[in-house]
Amino acid sequence: MKKIALDGFDLAYDRRGSGSPLLLIHGFPFDHSIWMDVAPLLEGEFDLILPDLRGFGESSTVDKFYSTADMARDLVSLLDALGIGKTSLAGHSMGGYVALAFAKQYPERVHRLALVASQAAGDSLERKEVRYKTAAEAAEKGVRVVVEAMIGKLTASPGARSRIRPLMEEQTVTGVIGALKAMAEREDSSAFLASFNRPVFLIHGDADELIPIERALEIKAILPSAVLSALYGGGHMPMLEMPEETALALKGMA
Ligand code: MLT
């Protein structure tokens, strides 16, 4: 992967295809490689930029508190380094939180925005507490704690599950803890999204057990212009479970 140097750490990214820029932002706790089944289906139409968010994959870890807004600023620095002004963004789950933080800070740089198995809502108090508890357990026992807590809810597909388990296990404790805290402290973006004036796309499996499709329907209710692609039978990892359907929905952003 290529790398750019940011404020004391490196951000790794892959770039492929040609066309209008589309930043594909992975979720938690993964890296850019979750997009590798859909990327070949999109690279004829898009200039795909696939970062590893700070703390994941080949990007460096950052051992202090940071926010989803900081993670979004990393991506703006990446675009600046690549000479890209405006881009479309598709964020999976946590990647959607980062995409929303990007759109809030730099609306003029967003062409179109897609949330894949994600949500605009912030964490409830209970959810926040669980995140901090998980972070403490991971610090003590390692990333495996997070893998075991999440894996059953991510996908019912044995093939997808066998691919994501090793990917999750190879992430670092520092990166996992940093992201858990950033997710816990993120703002509710519903009001922002309701007034966002760029095209919004929602791609969501109706069998997602981690972030139920109701979260996407809530966005559709406050932003009727949002284009919803409901993936029947899809879980939380549609880019692995249903790459063709996911790519087709993303092509609507071209
Ligand atoms: C993700 O899949 O990116 C995260 O698990 C989402 C979350 O925990 O809110």
Side-chain angles (χ1 to χ4, degrees), residues 67-77 98-99 101-103 105-106:
S67 62
T68 50
D70 293 322
M71 295 160 94
R73 277 193 287 274
D74 296 346
L75 301 183
V76 166
S77 302
V98 175
F102 183 116
Q105 296 178 92
Y106 310 98

Side-chain angles (χ1 to χ4, degrees), residues 45-115:
E45 279 160 70
F46 296 100
D47 174 5
L48 297 175
I49 301 127
L50 302 119
D52 281 349
L53 292 171
R54 59 163 82 182
F56 294 98
E58 292 186 27
S59 288
S60 323
T61 54
V62 177
D63 198 5
K64 59 171 193 195
F65 176 78
Y66 49 84
S67 62
T68 50
D70 293 322
M71 295 160 94
R73 277 193 287 274
D74 296 346
L75 301 183
V76 166
S77 302
L78 173 60
L79 294 176
D80 288 344
L82 299 177
I84 296 171
K86 208 166 180 170
T87 186
S88 291
L89 303 157
H92 171 237
S93 202
M94 176 185 75
Y97 312 157
V98 175
L100 285 166
F102 183 116
K104 252 188 225 176
Q105 296 178 92
Y106 310 98
E108 72 289 351
R109 296 190 69 161
V110 181
H111 184 46
R112 290 173 180 166
L113 172 69
L115 299 178

Side-chain angles (χ1 to χ4, degrees), residues 4 39 74 94 99 112 116 140-141 154 186-187 201 206 212:
I4 58 159
D74 296 346
M94 176 185 75
R112 290 173 180 166
V116 183
E140 204 183 308
K141 298 180 191 150
L154 290 174
R186 78 188 192 279
E187 294 167 6
F201 296 75
D206 71 341

Side-chain angles (χ1 to χ4, degrees), residues 154-219:
L154 290 174
T155 177
S157 151
R161 203 176 276 191
S162 67
R163 285 175 64 189
I164 55 178
R165 180 183 276 282
L167 182 61
M168 295 167 84
E169 285 173 353
E170 79 194 18
Q171 304 307 321
T172 65
V173 173
T174 307
V176 161
I177 291 175
L180 280 168
K181 291 182 180 171
M183 288 195 284
E185 299 303 330
R186 78 188 192 279
E187 294 167 6
D188 188 310
S189 296
S190 308
F192 162 75
L193 201 53
S195 64
F196 189 53
N197 64 6
R198 304 298 312 157
V200 171
F201 296 75
L202 307 168
I203 303 169
H204 219 112
D206 71 341
D208 188 332
E209 287 184 39
L210 199 84
I211 300 180
I213 195 168
E214 280 70 29
R215 299 290 89 75
L217 297 173
E218 285 163 13
I219 296 174

